[in-house]
Amino acid sequence: MKIKSLYISAGEKNVGALFVSMGMMEVLKRNLHRVAFFRPIILCKNIRDKDIDFILQKYELDMEYEDAYGFDVDYIENMIASKRSDELINELIKKFKKLEESYDFILCEGIRKAFLTPTIEYDLNMLLAQNFGSSIINIINAKDKSVQDIYENILIEKENLLSHECSHFATFINRVDERDYLKLKEKLKDSGENIYILKEVKELDIPTIEDVVEVLDAKIAHCFNACNTRAVRGFKIAANSVETFLGSIEEDNLVIVEADRSEIMLGIVAAFYSKEFANISAILFVSNTKLHPNIQKIVLGLKDYNIPILSVPFDSYESAKKLSHVYSKLRGSSERKIALALGLFNFSVDIKAIEQRIQTQQSEVMTPMMFEYKLFEMARQNRKKIVLPESVDERILRAAEIILRRDVADIILLGDEEEIKESYQRFGLDLSRASIVNPNESALMEEFSNVFYELRKKKGLSYQNAKDAMIHVNYFATMMVHLGYADGMVSGAVHSTADTIRPALQIIKTTPDVNIVSSLFFMCLKTKVLVYGDCALNQDPNAEELAQIALSCAKTARLFGMKPKVAMLSYATGESGSGEDVDKVRQATQIARDIEPELEIEGPIQYDAAIDKSVASLKLPNSKIAGVANVFIFPDLNTGNNTYKAVQRSTNAIAIGPVLQGLKKPVNDLSRGCSVKDIVNTILITAIQAGQTS
């Protein structure tokens, strides 16, 4: 029998309970719509619990904060001290069962033993898990422990679980030193337990600007783009001359300085634009000092300058003292750390084994979050190499870092290596795992030029023009995909759609069974995902082309786990209308049926009859598709493009795409107004498509 709740138990501070909760929640939300998070015990009911807030915000859980916890420590200890333990347990069970009635799965996070007084002689987490009927995930802290100590702790925890007759789900050994990882793995190889070893990742322990702002209650004097994600690896007090100070700064230092030290500020600005100095993470003005107006003009007028400036009322000594007590925290806005943490979790844990053991049968509901999590998992299972030719764009670099940290694909960036490194370091990013290829200096240039010349010489292309074309990053990237140096390409944040697609049509070309490249959008509504095609490429397809678009969209839908039910849209339903436009859709529907008889397809059909069962029962009562369609094929670009944008804006739907289909190898186009999230999703989709074509 599959379980419907898990209880995460951690005995020590900083062991990583939130980290494990986040990894497990990722697995659950990929498969289930209604998931609850519950902390039976919080520290204080008058102070909001940060773990609860983080999980509710990050995973958009449909529950109130007050329903996500039981009681605070004072109440728990008073109940136990007054010998009302049974009453306490019953009250907590009642709260838990109330959630169980409304949700598909409950993830519980217990309290650390250290927060309870020594007078409580039994393990409350074990008792609660037992009474909730939850299997336990126990976390063992491996930091600063020998392999033998870790092994003995595992045995102690195992004995503890047996003595309480608790159901054991898994043991996570967190923060294992890199040097001990293989030794511990070897020692545990015959244990037969569900044990997962998670390496220590130092960056997860490094605070960010946001942590500094919170602890120091600092004011943000000047905040630049995405400054809150920058790491703070140390701090320096600018007390000496500018020459001495510049020689002391290190990567990701926070600089403590009085704002009236204008020469220091000018030195910091100069160092920012110099390749010879490390990149600092932030500047902290002390004693409420302010920049001289002329220096402020210089700073605010600089191009690409992105070092945040904070301000506090206390002096340098007091600031440094407070900074020594700043610790790293996971927050909903900590995208870089979240990506790194989830990448580590997925690398270390057998996700499929976990899914098989918990109640994660496929839900009929598909939320945008569920769909996006599925994209990450599908890409991770068949890791591919994606080339990004637009390394000059900050959004591309930020998206590339997320992909690398999540460990779901390999990334190739095109451009000058030194310039790319300088650029991503200025943004506080780490793209050291990305491959960087400079087309102008690459040994591949000659091969690519020769291949392109052979492909296009019958079209009148000269060898010199072939060489000139390969200088363009989109042509070079497309040739990398064509010849197998990369598995897919994503472009369009800077270039036009034509600049992205033209090289693909000339070099990669369409698959044998397809005569037209088309596009689709995944429209992620509140509880379902629909496919819209073609809303981006083909202006007025004829009946044969429209049929091919429908077949391509159905094929892509299957690739992403959907069972296609295709609606061929028109202004008339069934036999209710006539005219050239309706006849085109009717003919296209028949062509598609002839090519693929098993495909569930209906047309011509109006949008309301395709999606609404009540309308379908009146307009097309005998149709298996009407009212339940999930793939919508628009008759022309004008209709499709306007409809997808209208639905997107009026329903707050997430539109993922355009996704190109019909090419032998995947190339996908971005909107020039795309967000980092859009780019991440497009890279994932491209990687998944590459897994199909390889």
Side-chain angles (χ1 to χ4, degrees), residues 352-388:
K352 283 188 176 179
I354 286 177
E355 286 182 328
Q356 288 170 2
R357 295 177 61 207
I358 59 181
Q359 191 74 31
T360 58
Q361 72 271 17
Q362 185 65 46
S363 170
E364 290 185 5
V365 171
M366 178 64 70
T367 67
M369 183 173 286
M370 291 170 72
F371 186 70
E372 289 177 353
Y373 290 164
K374 279 188 179 295
L375 294 183
F376 274 105
E377 183 59 16
M378 290 176 73
R380 188 184 69 83
Q381 288 175 0
N382 196 357
R383 189 188 186 96
K384 295 299 176 184
K385 188 178 293 184
I386 307 302
V387 58
L388 307 175

Side-chain angles (χ1 to χ4, degrees), residues 488-512:
M489 174 185 121
V490 173
S491 186
V494 176
H495 297 95
S496 68
T497 296
D499 285 339
T500 301
I501 296 176
R502 188 185 301 111
L505 294 175
Q506 293 177 352
I507 297 170
I508 296 174
K509 302 180 180 177
T510 59
T511 57

Side-chain angles (χ1 to χ4, degrees), residues 244-265:
T244 304
F245 162 72
L246 288 175
S248 70
I249 59 175
E250 297 176 328
E251 197 72 26
D252 291 330
N253 273 169
L254 179 143
V255 175
I256 302 171
V257 65
E258 293 186 357
D260 56 9
R261 293 287 307 272
S262 296
E263 80 284 7
I264 294 288
M265 282 302 301

Side-chain angles (χ1 to χ4, degrees), residues 156-209:
I156 291 169
E157 285 290 318
K158 183 178 180 180
E159 187 63 34
N160 193 22
L161 286 163
L162 287 172
S163 67
H164 285 87
E165 298 182 356
C166 287
S167 169
H168 178 241
F169 185 82
T171 295
F172 287 84
I173 308 169
N174 197 21
R175 311 191 71 173
V176 176
D177 190 280
E178 179 80 37
R179 294 166 295 184
D180 294 331
Y181 179 77
L182 292 177
K183 295 178 188 174
L184 184 60
K185 203 168 184 181
E186 177 66 22
K187 196 170 185 68
L188 296 173
K189 70 177 182 179
D190 297 322
S191 64
E193 301 285 337
N194 296 299
I195 298 175
Y196 301 113
I197 304 171
L198 300 144
K199 294 181 184 177
E200 171 81 317
V201 177
K202 291 182 179 178
E203 187 164 344
L204 291 175
D205 244 2
I206 297 172
T208 63
I209 300 298

Side-chain angles (χ1 to χ4, degrees), residues 119 151 169 190 218 220 235 249 262 266 304 324 336 361 377 411 422-423 446 455 502 540 571 580 595 609 640 665 672:
T119 56
Y151 183 68
F169 185 82
D190 297 322
I220 300 174
F235 56 87
I249 59 175
S262 296
L266 292 174
D304 298 328
S324 66
R336 299 181 65 236
Q361 72 271 17
E377 183 59 16
I411 295 294
E422 183 184 347
S423 182
E446 184 177 355
L455 285 172
R502 188 185 301 111
D540 189 16
Y571 59 78
E580 186 178 339
I595 296 173
K665 293 186 178 182
R672 274 171 280 185

Side-chain angles (χ1 to χ4, degrees), residues 96-103 106:
F96 179 84
K97 291 297 180 184
K98 184 180 177 183
L99 291 177
E100 207 170 40
E101 291 171 3
S102 304
Y103 293 89
I106 305 171

Side-chain angles (χ1 to χ4, degrees), residues 442-498:
S442 173
L444 298 173
M445 182 62 80
E446 184 177 355
E447 178 189 0
F448 287 6
S449 299
N450 289 335
V451 171
F452 189 48
Y453 171 66
E454 291 298 324
L455 285 172
R456 303 291 293 177
K457 63 182 180 182
K458 290 183 180 178
K459 301 282 186 179
L461 183 75
S462 68
Y463 182 73
Q464 184 57 48
N465 286 339
K467 287 181 67 175
D468 293 342
M470 284 303 118
I471 295 173
H472 193 290
V473 288
N474 276 351
Y475 272 95
F476 190 92
T478 304
M479 191 61 80
M480 290 188 81
V481 176
H482 177 61
L483 295 178
Y485 294 100
D487 300 305
M489 174 185 121
V490 173
S491 186
V494 176
H495 297 95
S496 68
T497 296

